[in-house]
């Protein structure tokens, strides 16, 4: 991944209906979204120049805004077209796609009903790691101190910027301790997800995954559940307590960034990435590639 600061890159960003030079895509320091987290976003990827499940992401993007009490002023079709335009205009094939929408600078108080809703879309190179052998080594996870909140206390159904504050804190702590990421529990101490990915466990040929009621039911998560059905693999969505992790043989993460990433360790719990993890790494990599390239 490039270490060039994101405000110093070249290319084009789509902003409020227009393509603008990358370095000109700016907002005022007194934007409501910066001060009060009235901001939603998506994380998507293009493979071979085509955005994977673009419409599903655009639909969730608009739903997230509605949960935060504002409306993105573009339809799903308009957002899909704008995302593809940015990918094409920047001459990228395998890349990350970031739509973001936020309340602007017209009002600077908790209430900001009359603020303009700004929308932007940026893309940047992000090649996919399809080296199965490397992935099968598995990553190590810490266990986060912060927990996913009770859905009665936060808009957990939205991909809202404010919900990621505890994820950044948790991932920083994990990386300082030598881990790749951290697994988060929910407000009742049950297994929830990682800082930016959903989690699956496997035993006796069956997948188990936490019920997504206080964190995002990820699009990659749903894709893997669909891939499991095609394989005839049972998926059980249920409450999972940390002490149950001793009974599972395999574990893997799912997400736009993670794709399908096997796990070898979560704190004191050990796993051996095996046949099921490998199957879903391979199935997902085949699923996301444009079909004419996969043939």
């Amino acid at each position: 991944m490039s270490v060039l600061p994101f405000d110093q890159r070249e290319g084009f960003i789509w902003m409020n209906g227009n393509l603008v030079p990358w370095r000109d895509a700016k907002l005022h320091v007194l934007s409501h979204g910066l001060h009060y987290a009235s901001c939603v976003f998506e994380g998507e990827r293009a493979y071979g120049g085509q955005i994977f499940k673009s419409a599903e992401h655009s639909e969730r993007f608009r739903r997230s805004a509605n949960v935060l009490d504002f409306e993105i002023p573009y339809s799903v079709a308009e957002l899909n077209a704008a995302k593809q335009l940015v990918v094409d205009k920047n001459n990228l094939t395998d890349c990350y796609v970031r739509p973001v929408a936020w309340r602007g600078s017209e009002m600077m108080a908790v209430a900001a009903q009359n603020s303009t809703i700004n929308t932007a879309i940026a893309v940047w190179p992000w090649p996919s790691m399809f080296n199965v052998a490397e992935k099968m080594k598995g990553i190590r996870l810490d266990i986060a101190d912060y927990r996913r909140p009770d859905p009665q206390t936060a808009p957990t159904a939205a991909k809202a910027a404010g919900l990621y504050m505890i994820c950044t804190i948790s991932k920083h702590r994990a990386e300082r301790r030598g881990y790749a990421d951290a697994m988060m529990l929910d407000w009742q101490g049950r297994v929830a997800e990682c800082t930016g990915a959903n989690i699956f466990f496997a035993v006796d040929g069956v997948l188990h995954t936490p019920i997504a009621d206080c964190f995002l039911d990820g699009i990659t998560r749903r894709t893997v559940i669909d891939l499991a059905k095609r394989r005839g693999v049972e998926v059980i969505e249920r409450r999972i307590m940390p002490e149950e992790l001793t009974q599972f043989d395999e574990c893997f993460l799912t997400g736009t960034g993670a794709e399908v990433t096997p796990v070898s360790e979560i704190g004191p719990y050990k796993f051996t990435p095996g046949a099921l993890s490998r199957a879903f790494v391979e199935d997902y990599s085949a699923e996301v590639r444009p079909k004419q390239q996969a043939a």
Side-chain angles (χ1 to χ4, degrees):
M1 298 291 291
S2 171
V3 295
L4 184 66
F6 277 86
D7 63 344
Q8 297 178 24
R9 302 189 179 201
E10 300 297 334
F12 297 91
I13 290 175
W14 185 92
M15 192 167 182
N16 293 330
N18 298 299
L19 281 173
V20 300
W22 189 286
R23 299 183 187 216
D24 293 341
K26 300 176 181 179
L27 68 156
H28 196 274
V29 69
L30 294 179
S31 293
H32 195 272
L34 175 63
H35 291 254
Y36 294 96
S38 54
C39 173
V40 298
F41 67 98
E42 278 296 313
E44 312 177 36
R45 281 171 83 156
Y47 297 87
Q50 296 182 24
I51 301 170
F52 183 62
K53 295 197 171 179
S54 180
E56 289 185 37
H57 281 284
S58 294
E59 289 164 358
R60 186 174 68 181
F61 188 40
R62 287 177 52 82
R63 287 198 305 271
S64 293
N66 291 339
V67 172
L68 266 63
D69 197 33
F70 67 85
E71 184 172 354
I72 293 171
Y74 300 97
S75 67
V76 167
E78 289 171 326
L79 290 168
N80 292 345
K83 286 185 289 183
Q84 193 62 53
L85 175 65
V86 180
V87 171
D88 296 342
K89 185 67 174 178
N90 285 283
N91 297 313
L92 294 175
T93 53
D94 289 356
C95 61
Y96 190 82
V97 182
R98 169 53 59 86
V100 58
W102 67 97
R103 285 192 174 96
S105 54
E106 290 80 7
M107 301 180 71
M108 188 47 55
V110 172
Q113 298 93 330
N114 296 322
S115 292
T116 297
I117 305 305
N118 297 277
T119 311
I121 301 166
V123 301
W124 55 88
W126 193 329
S128 178
M129 188 179 78
F130 284 121
N131 186 321
V132 177
E134 188 66 25
K135 278 199 166 189
M136 289 303 293
K137 294 178 181 178
I139 62 172
R140 299 172 61 243
L141 305 179
D142 196 5
I143 298 177
D145 290 331
Y146 282 104
R147 299 182 175 189
R148 299 313 310 172
D150 183 334
Q152 295 184 72
T153 67
T156 58
K159 194 169 178 67
L163 294 174
Y164 285 80
M165 176 179 64
I166 59 174
C167 299
T168 297
I169 296 170
S170 300
K171 191 169 177 67
H172 284 183
R173 175 180 178 272
E175 290 181 346
R176 282 196 297 269
R177 299 179 66 187
Y179 294 93
D181 200 352
M183 182 186 77
M184 307 183 80
L185 305 178
D186 71 10
W187 84 102
Q188 291 187 321
R190 306 170 301 201
V191 175
E193 60 171 352
C194 288
T195 63
N198 294 129
I199 193 165
F200 286 79
F201 302 93
V203 63
D204 297 329
V206 176
L207 292 180
H208 299 252
T209 192
I211 297 170
D213 61 353
C214 67
F215 56 88
L216 281 182
D217 182 4
I219 290 172
T220 309
R221 177 182 185 270
R222 301 310 309 177
T223 300
V224 167
I225 290 174
D226 182 59
L227 291 171
K229 290 178 180 178
R230 296 186 216 171
R231 275 190 168 268
V233 174
E234 183 181 5
V235 179
I236 301 174
E237 299 180 67
R238 67 178 182 85
R239 308 297 185 191
I240 300 174
M241 299 302 297
E243 55 268 25
E244 293 183 65
L245 301 192
T246 57
Q247 75 183 46
F248 297 115
D249 301 320
E250 300 182 55
C251 173
F252 58 81
L253 308 183
T254 63
T256 295
E259 300 179 305
V260 176
T261 297
V263 173
S264 61
E265 177 183 327
I266 303 177
Y269 306 103
K270 310 295 182 183
F271 307 91
T272 302
L276 271 182
S277 295
R278 178 181 291 274
F280 289 110
V281 168
E282 294 175 343
D283 285 358
Y284 187 76
S285 69
E287 184 74 7
V288 298
R289 302 304 296 186
K291 299 309 178 185
Q292 64 270 24
Q293 294 189 21

